[in-house]
Amino acid sequence: MDDILTKLNKEQKEAVTHSEGPLLIVAGAGTGKTTVITNRIAWLINENKAKSDEILALTFTDKAAGEMEERVDRLLPYGYVDLWISTFHSFAERILKQHAIDIGLPNDFKLLNQTEQWLLVRQNLDKFDLDYYKPLGNPTKFIHALLKHFSRAKDEVIGPEEYLEYAEGLKLDKDLSGDQGDEKSRLLEIANAYHIYEQLLLDNNALDFGDLINYTLKLFQKRPKILEKYRKQFKYILVDEFQDTNWAQYELIKLLSAPKNNLTVVGDDDQSIYKFRGASISNILQFKKDYLNAKEVVLVNNYRSTQDILDTAYKFIKQNNPNRLEAELGINKKLKSQSKEKGEIERYHGQDLDNEVDWVINKILDLKNKNKNLSWSDFGILVRANNSANIFIRDMIKHGIPYQFMAMRGLYNKPIILDTLAYFKLLDNYHESPAMYRILTLPFLNIDNKDLMELNYQAKKDSESLYQVLKKVSSISSIKTETIEMAGKILSLIEKHTSLAKEKNLSELFISIFKDTGYLGYLNRKDRTVEEEEKDREALGYLQQLYKKITAFEIDYPDPKLQDFMALMELERESGEEGSLSLNLEAGPDVVKIMTVHSAKGLEFEYVFIPNLVDRRFPTTERRDPIELPDDLIKEIIPEGDLHLEEERRLFYVAMTRARRGLYFTSASDYGGARKKKLSRFLIELGYEDKEQGIMVSKQNDFAEEKVEVPAKVGKEPTYVLPKRFSFTQIAAFKKCPLQYKFAHILKIPVLGKGPMSFGKTIHNTLERFLKLVLERHGSSQKNLFGDKNGKEKNLSTKEELLDIYKEEWIDSWYEGKWQKDKYYKQGQESLLNFYNKFIKDKPAVQSLEQDFNAKISGITMKGKIDRIDKIEGGVEIIDYKTGKSKEELRSEDKIQLLLYQIAARDVLGLKPKKLTYYYLDDNKELSFIGEEKDLVKLEDNIAKAIAKIKGSNFEATPNLHVCKYCDYKDICEYKASGA
């Protein structure tokens, strides 16, 4: 309890310890809103007001949900079973996976992203009766606009039927002449297209993100018993970033929290910047009207910025009155800095864009030189639009300053991804000369530049592809011997991988290519600078993201081929897709971060630069939706005023409040157009104006007389972002070899799978599904599972059903050939039938399946999943399935996994383990034991020591012939034992 409350200020403590009823927490920038939410969750659990799985906390990004869960994890001393902390969409998906069938949906639906939605419409365009929105010259022109319109309709819970009813019943003003009939036809076309789109989704077992919320809302409205179930479960509901909710999301939480209304919402109307995603600022303005008795707590103590920065931001955002909570509720939102330090606020206006960028670069260098304790990551350049970042990137490179452009899209344009796709193209068509050229220029191939020029010359002269030239390269006298040898290796690899592409799935081909070509080894080479290692680690991250896309593609396509994947990539590019990027904005190398203001939400920097503050760049010109919703259909309450300008002000306010100590506004007169740019109205509103057109032109370069040096990079060792929670698998990997742990759990390098791994996962999934079916079909009460009230035997699910599930769950990847696949398939059938017979004979009282846990051991969270827990006399039996033959006896190291489960069952699940069992499915035998207290204490001590070693490790290899021989990374490891 001390950890939860002692460090909180008066208002934070008041919010955390609120007992019952609705609560509105108005949390200004930097006032510790995440601390309040997470401490409130921990307080509710500690006070026994709710268990961990009786609290629902919703936010908007996986990153925010992950951070909340980590903080709650640190505050809970005894571990927990299940925290319902997630995004709105993840929560809705979880509910629908359980109950989709109750409203006529398939529970194995696929969730489509924006690009997949576009592809669905593109591939079925002939089914849409489009006229107005299907121009002859460009029939796909309006697909994105229509999809955005449908999404906006779903934000307002407007279904196709309601839309169609509105369009058909539309009565137009008789006094208006002209295109009234055309307007009704246009709306009818949209309504019909909306209906066809929704039907296409259902026909393809698919939903989009708007469907998740709407169908969950429909489920609760149509199925009161299911609603009641979740109302009883979630005693408290908390919503983070409430100002970003849309109308549908607010309706969902209002419905779920009733009638007790233990609903806590946390937000700041001044930071509502996602209207383009459907966010409704009216929700936070409406909350007090919906809940008249709601308690309100205003957090104004700021722990981030200096007072002068806060005062500047406050003076600016007040211009959005009266559409602010401060004006609506009569509260004071003026932030009070907890720092006594004086900040620096500067404004610079240059003659042209180059001059403006030079000033920003030199200011960063000057600050860095004056304070050696500053890191590059203490500086943030926040642009309004992605394309404004390009010139800053150019000058960062010119000055040798490490930087990272934190774009949310652009995976397909990353060098290593372009290399991969080029190689894929070659396997599909050897004569793709641009693709071949890109491969020949890979740095680790070391092909001489003069030789490359000669190869290109020969191809052009003979009107041949580069592939054809490589085939006869030995006959070109001017080519070096090393290049001829490398050409032979490349041709051999292309031939090998072409054959693999016909036999293996794409993920296997992907990993084989990177191993065989030496690319993975190059990205993990010994002799690298810290900067090179950081760059290679970033490249590996991009590879992981492409690998995830490939594995998802294999799930979606029944017979996935390389050609199908490349065709999909072409369609994605046609749709305008650049590939989403998963970036940890707070982790990674020490670099100056360049990003959009939207991306910077939730971050902070010592020094913030906001450039390009001129008319039409910031604030931008309003871009209305290409297809707007009719006002009569909109359900949210739209505030009066210039909504676009107010949104831009809030965005500018967010940018300003990211700064801790320094805030810099920059602009220029010349951005390359015919006319000089007018100063941004935001600078005028801040008081920066001059006698002529409000522009004060500073001297060309405040640093011109003094050469500003790039400071040397401090530190020789790269930093690694370690997992926040650990597992038995992680500790086992580290114990074998710290470098293996680094490859697998930090760099997360994809590896070739093995047939036994696919088989083991298949068996586990089959047993889980089958036993869940048994429990669902016969009720969770074990008294009724095998017999009725009179003791008469009931029919369980059949052997045939078990084998059908096995067939459906079969994973067809990673087997050495058909012979191995057939062998394992037959073995699996025999094992499952033996399991079934034993299950019927023993009649176990199954209590839970696939039970997740988060156990605290010496303050460290260990996560895991228990295959099965059965009730037995005096307590429970914990069972872990093993696909293999049983052992004669268990060694001490064999027992570690189940001993960890014993601790979790006792401390987290509140159970009394009486028996720990490994169930060997190959020969249908069990080996059981139970850990004594001394065994558990010893294990806890060993885990604590192991994790301490991980946290302090530089992950050096510990070569050992036995370990290296079976290591997944031996082919890229320069330290492997001889003979491995």
Side-chain angles (χ1 to χ4, degrees):
M1 183 60 71
D2 287 344
D3 289 339
I4 294 171
L5 297 179
T6 51
K7 295 180 181 178
L8 303 181
N9 63 40
K10 178 175 175 271
E11 291 78 18
Q12 288 175 330
K13 193 176 294 185
E14 188 180 357
V16 167
T17 58
H18 173 69
S19 183
E20 305 288 328
L23 169 66
L24 170 64
I25 303 172
V26 182
T31 56
K33 72 174 179 62
T34 306
T35 296
V36 169
I37 295 170
T38 52
N39 285 40
R40 177 158 172 73
I41 293 171
W43 182 82
L44 289 169
I45 295 170
N46 254 19
E47 289 289 295
N48 293 320
K49 290 183 177 294
K51 297 175 183 176
S52 60
D53 59 349
E54 293 175 336
I55 301 170
L56 174 64
L58 298 170
T59 186
F60 283 87
T61 66
D62 291 326
K63 173 182 172 294
E67 182 184 350
M68 285 170 63
E69 188 166 343
E70 286 167 18
R71 290 203 192 186
V72 173
D73 176 76
R74 290 197 294 268
L75 290 167
L76 296 176
Y78 304 114
Y80 48 90
V81 179
D82 194 8
L83 286 171
W84 284 71
I85 299 177
S86 72
T87 65
F88 269 93
H89 291 116
S90 294
F91 166 71
E93 184 175 14
R94 185 171 177 178
I95 297 295
L96 287 179
K97 288 289 185 184
Q98 291 290 324
H99 302 287
I101 196 169
D102 293 297
I103 49 171
L105 292 175
N107 57 11
D108 60 344
F109 62 82
K110 184 195 173 189
L111 184 60
L112 301 188
N113 60 32
Q114 189 175 354
T115 302
E116 290 166 333
Q117 292 168 247
W118 187 93
L119 291 172
L120 180 66
V121 175
R122 168 74 170 76
Q123 290 162 354
N124 293 276
L125 203 55
D126 58 325
K127 296 179 182 177
F128 289 82
D129 186 17
L130 296 177
D131 178 28
Y132 192 96
Y133 291 108
K134 188 179 179 182
L136 290 175
N138 185 5
T140 63
K141 179 180 179 180
F142 291 108
I143 293 179
H144 278 306
L146 285 166
L147 288 170
K148 186 173 183 181
H149 187 72
F150 302 155
S151 175
R152 182 77 186 90
K154 291 177 183 182
D155 291 342
E156 297 285 332
V157 197
I158 303 165
E161 297 82 6
E162 182 182 351
Y163 205 131
L164 188 60
E165 184 180 341
Y166 168 78
E168 288 175 339
L170 192 62
K171 294 181 180 179
L172 300 170
D173 195 333
K174 293 179 181 178
D175 295 331
L176 294 176
S177 59
D179 300 327
Q180 294 272 335
D182 289 345
E183 175 64 7
K184 183 166 183 174
S185 297
R186 184 183 73 85
L187 289 173
L188 281 169
E189 182 173 311
I190 293 170
N192 283 313
Y194 188 12
H195 175 77
I196 293 165
Y197 169 68
E198 283 300 287
Q199 191 58 50
L200 273 175
L201 286 172
L202 293 175
D203 290 345
N204 286 273
N205 276 10
L207 302 181
D208 62 23
F209 283 95
D211 286 330
L212 290 176
I213 305 299
N214 282 8
Y215 279 125
T216 305
L217 188 57
K218 183 179 178 181
L219 172 74
F220 289 155
Q221 290 168 337
K222 301 287 186 184
R223 299 290 180 261
K225 287 186 178 180
I226 295 174
L227 172 62
E228 188 60 27
K229 171 184 184 293
Y230 286 104
R231 279 179 171 174
K232 285 181 178 178
Q233 178 178 342
F234 299 125
K235 295 179 179 178
Y236 292 86
I237 298 175
L238 299 91
V239 182
D240 186 22
E241 304 287 9
F242 183 62
Q243 75 278 353
D244 295 333
T245 54
N246 60 40
W247 197 86
Q249 290 163 339
Y250 188 24
E251 287 298 297
L252 179 63
I253 59 175
K254 280 196 291 186
L255 184 64
L256 193 55
S257 61
K260 292 185 177 179
N261 296 324
N262 288 329
L263 173 62
T264 298
V265 299
V266 188
D268 180 12
D269 57 307
D270 292 333
Q271 296 186 76
S272 178
I273 60 173
Y274 293 112
K275 189 175 186 346
F276 70 96
R277 293 184 189 168
S280 170
I281 192 173
S282 63
N283 285 349
I284 195 166
L285 300 174
Q286 183 70 22
F287 185 82
K288 282 282 285 186
K289 296 174 184 175
D290 291 338
Y291 299 97
L292 296 174
N293 65 331
K295 181 181 178 62
E296 70 184 43
V297 176
V298 184
L299 305 181
V300 293
N301 289 330
N302 177 282
Y303 298 92
R304 177 187 301 158
S305 308
T306 59
Q307 191 63 53
D308 41 7
I309 291 174
L310 296 178
D311 288 345
T312 301
Y314 180 67
K315 173 188 172 184
F316 174 78
I317 198 59
K318 280 203 300 182
Q319 292 169 96
N320 269 359
N321 285 342
N323 292 330
R324 295 178 60 241
L325 275 178
E326 193 170 46
E328 288 258 345
L329 301 181
I331 58 178
N332 183 0
K333 289 182 60 186
K334 191 175 189 300
L335 300 177
K336 301 173 186 177
S337 175
Q338 302 307 292
S339 167
K340 302 301 180 185
E341 190 177 353
K342 183 174 173 56
E344 181 176 73
I345 303 174
E346 283 190 37
R347 183 266 166 135
Y348 177 80
H349 184 83
Q351 294 176 346
D352 56 29
L353 179 57
D354 285 333
N355 177 224
E356 178 188 358
V357 174
D358 282 345
W359 189 89
V360 171
I361 298 292
N362 282 295
K363 183 67 179 179
I364 291 172
L365 292 173
D366 183 56
L367 289 165
K368 189 87 162 61
N369 275 325
K370 288 177 180 175
N371 187 346
K372 304 298 181 184
N373 292 322
L374 284 175
S375 302
W376 291 115
S377 53
D378 288 325
F379 300 95
I381 300 175
L382 308 187
V383 295
R384 177 61 184 88
N386 278 318
N387 57 10
S388 299
N390 295 334
I391 191 167
F392 288 98
I393 292 170
R394 184 199 71 186
D395 274 36
M396 290 282 174
I397 295 170
K398 185 171 74 176
H399 286 81
I401 298 174
Y403 76 92
Q404 188 172 17
F405 177 40
M406 312 298 282
M408 295 293 102
R409 310 202 77 76
L411 176 66
Y412 300 158
N413 297 320
K414 298 299 179 185
I416 195 165
I417 304 303
L418 290 171
D419 294 341
T420 308
L421 297 178
Y423 197 84
F424 281 172
K425 277 186 178 180
L426 274 181
L427 301 186
D428 195 30
N429 180 2
Y430 293 169
H431 302 292
E432 281 272 3
S433 288
M436 178 64 85
Y437 179 78
R438 185 169 188 94
I439 299 304
L440 294 175
T441 58
L442 291 173
F444 59 90
L445 297 182
N446 296 314
I447 295 178
D448 184 81
N449 194 49
K450 288 183 180 179
D451 286 351
L452 277 173
M453 293 173 66
E454 180 63 27
L455 292 171
N456 281 332
Y457 169 75
Q458 290 291 335
K460 186 174 182 180
K461 180 172 74 74
D462 298 339
S463 297
E464 293 180 330
S465 67
L466 272 175
Y467 173 80
Q468 290 170 309
V469 173
L470 286 184
K471 294 281 283 186
K472 61 179 185 181
V473 68
S474 58
S475 65
I476 306 173
S477 59
S478 59
I479 300 293
K480 291 183 176 62
T481 304
E482 296 85 352
T483 300
I484 293 172
E485 291 175 356
M486 182 54 69
K489 289 180 182 177
I490 292 169
L491 292 173
S492 176
L493 285 170
I494 290 172
E495 187 177 336
K496 174 185 176 181
H497 294 138
T498 302
S499 297
L500 273 179
K502 296 173 184 175
E503 301 168 6
K504 300 290 185 180
N505 60 34
L506 191 54
S507 54
E508 291 179 78
L509 174 66
F510 175 86
I511 294 172
S512 294
I513 287 170
F514 275 90
K515 284 180 63 178
D516 297 343
T517 58
Y519 211 145
L520 267 185
Y522 171 74
L523 293 174
N524 289 283
R525 62 197 182 279
K526 281 183 186 177
D527 303 321
R528 289 179 291 176
T529 63
V530 172
E531 290 85 352
E532 286 172 335
E533 181 167 352
E534 298 282 15
K535 189 176 179 182
D536 292 340
R537 196 194 316 176
E538 191 177 78
L540 281 168
Y542 297 141
L543 272 187
Q544 291 163 24
Q545 292 174 55
L546 182 63
Y547 183 72
K548 283 182 182 177
K549 182 173 182 62
I550 287 171
T551 53
F553 163 79
E554 290 175 338
I555 293 170
D556 294 339
Y557 282 71
D559 186 25
K561 299 293 183 187
L562 175 61
Q563 290 88 344
D564 298 323
F565 181 75
M566 296 306 290
L568 176 64
M569 293 296 293
E570 284 301 312
L571 277 172
E572 286 200 11
R573 288 180 179 277
E574 183 188 338
S575 79
E577 177 59 55
E578 297 176 348
S580 60
L581 286 166
S582 301
L583 296 172
N584 186 345
L585 301 179
E586 294 176 310
D590 181 20
V591 292
V592 175
K593 290 185 168 64
I594 307 169
M595 65 181 71
T596 65
V597 183
H598 282 103
S599 299
K601 180 79 170 15
L603 302 180
E604 55 187 53
F605 303 91
E606 292 294 319
Y607 300 97
V608 165
F609 295 82
I610 311 175
N612 302 168
L613 292 177
V614 293
D615 185 41
R616 298 190 179 185
R617 291 205 171 196
F618 206 169
T620 60
T621 305
E622 182 176 11
R623 295 174 61 186
R624 292 182 173 274
D625 288 342
I627 309 173
E628 294 190 320
L629 271 180
D631 289 344
D632 293 340
L633 286 175
I634 295 174
K635 296 181 173 115
E636 65 179 282
I637 300 168
I638 307 293
E640 294 182 0
D642 190 334
L643 300 185
H644 171 71
L645 180 60
E646 290 179 8
E647 175 102 349
E648 290 287 300
R649 275 204 195 99
R650 292 192 292 270
L651 193 59
F652 193 67
Y653 175 81
V654 165
M656 286 192 284
T657 53
R658 300 310 95 194
R660 295 192 195 104
R661 289 196 285 166
L663 179 60
Y664 307 95
F665 308 113
T666 70
S667 55
S669 298
D670 184 2
Y671 285 83
R675 295 181 179 181
K676 287 188 176 181
K677 286 287 186 182
K678 291 182 181 179
L679 203 64
S680 166
R681 68 176 289 162
F682 289 169
L683 287 178
I684 305 296
E685 290 173 358
L686 282 168
Y688 293 108
E689 56 184 313
D690 160 278
K691 297 173 185 176
E692 293 184 12
Q693 299 179 353
I695 294 181
M696 179 80 72
V697 179
S698 305
K699 61 183 179 181
Q700 183 169 352
N701 195 328
D702 291 345
F703 306 96
E705 298 176 2
E706 176 187 354
K707 184 179 180 184
V708 183
E709 297 180 357
V710 179
K713 188 172 179 72
V714 179
K716 296 180 180 179
E717 294 296 329
T719 55
Y720 300 106
V721 180
L722 295 176
K724 299 293 190 297
R725 291 177 289 179
F726 294 85
S727 65
F728 168 76
T729 304
Q730 287 184 43
I731 291 175
F734 184 82
K735 189 176 179 181
K736 286 180 182 176
C737 174
L739 185 58
Q740 183 191 89
Y741 174 85
K742 175 184 170 183
F743 285 152
H745 298 285
I746 296 177
L747 300 180
K748 298 178 182 176
I749 298 173
V751 296
L752 283 169
K754 298 179 178 65
M757 290 169 55
S758 296
F759 178 68
K761 192 171 182 181
T762 297
I763 295 294
H764 272 75
N765 292 347
T766 300
L767 290 176
E768 180 188 3
R769 265 189 66 187
F770 177 72
L771 292 177
K772 278 185 177 178
L773 178 66
V774 171
L775 294 178
E776 288 169 7
R777 185 171 291 173
H778 301 286
S780 57
S781 172
Q782 290 300 322
K783 293 178 182 178
N784 298 323
L785 184 56
F786 293 97
D788 60 23
K789 292 180 180 179
N790 299 318
K792 186 178 178 181
E793 194 83 5
K794 293 171 73 176
N795 290 322
L796 277 170
S797 302
T798 65
K799 294 179 181 180
E800 288 72 24
E801 285 177 310
L802 175 59
L803 295 180
D804 284 344
I805 293 172
Y806 176 55
K807 186 176 181 180
E808 290 171 10
E809 290 292 334
W810 179 257
I811 299 170
D812 212 32
S813 307
W814 307 113
Y815 292 98
E816 292 177 20
K818 188 175 183 300
W819 65 271
Q820 190 185 39
K821 192 187 304 182
D822 291 345
K823 174 188 171 186
Y824 272 105
Y825 192 86
K826 183 179 178 183
Q827 179 181 319
Q829 286 180 315
E830 293 174 1
S831 296
L832 290 171
L833 289 173
N834 289 333
F835 169 87
Y836 181 89
N837 292 330
K838 183 175 174 58
F839 185 77
I840 295 296
K841 179 184 175 183
D842 294 345
K843 297 183 176 60
V846 179
Q847 177 170 310
S848 60
L849 301 166
E850 300 295 317
Q851 176 65 63
D852 290 306
F853 66 81
N854 292 270
K856 286 293 180 74
I857 295 179
S858 299
I860 298 154
T861 301
M862 291 290 292
K863 61 180 181 178
K865 183 178 287 188
I866 302 171
D867 288 343
R868 194 174 112 200
I869 301 175
D870 288 356
K871 292 179 183 176
I872 59 174
E873 187 177 346
V876 297
E877 178 182 8
I878 294 171
I879 298 169
D880 187 72
Y881 299 125
K882 296 293 181 188
T883 48
K885 291 185 177 179
S886 60
K887 300 181 178 183
E888 291 295 324
E889 60 179 341
L890 296 173
R891 300 169 297 174
S892 57
E893 56 264 37
D894 296 327
K895 297 181 179 181
I896 293 174
Q897 184 178 2
L898 281 180
L899 288 173
L900 175 60
Y901 292 176
Q902 182 178 346
I903 294 171
R906 179 194 66 187
D907 296 347
V908 181
L909 306 178
L911 302 174
K912 293 182 179 179
K914 292 292 183 180
K915 193 176 182 183
L916 309 178
T917 299
Y918 283 120
Y919 193 128
Y920 294 92
L921 291 156
D922 275 17
D923 48 14
N924 206 33
K925 290 184 179 178
E926 300 174 7
L927 284 180
S928 301
F929 67 99
I930 190 66
E932 297 179 10
E933 186 60 28
K934 63 178 182 179
D935 300 321
L936 305 182
V937 171
K938 182 181 178 181
L939 176 61
E940 290 183 354
D941 184 53
N942 288 340
I943 287 174
K945 288 177 180 176
I947 293 175
K949 285 183 180 179
I950 291 173
K951 290 182 175 180
S953 178
N954 58 3
F955 306 106
E956 291 185 355
T958 53
N960 172 286
L961 182 58
H962 179 73
V963 171
C964 293
K965 187 175 181 180
Y966 298 101
C967 178
D968 290 321
Y969 304 98
K970 65 180 180 181
D971 293 332
I972 64 168
C973 181
E974 298 182 28
Y975 303 93
K976 66 181 178 185
S978 177

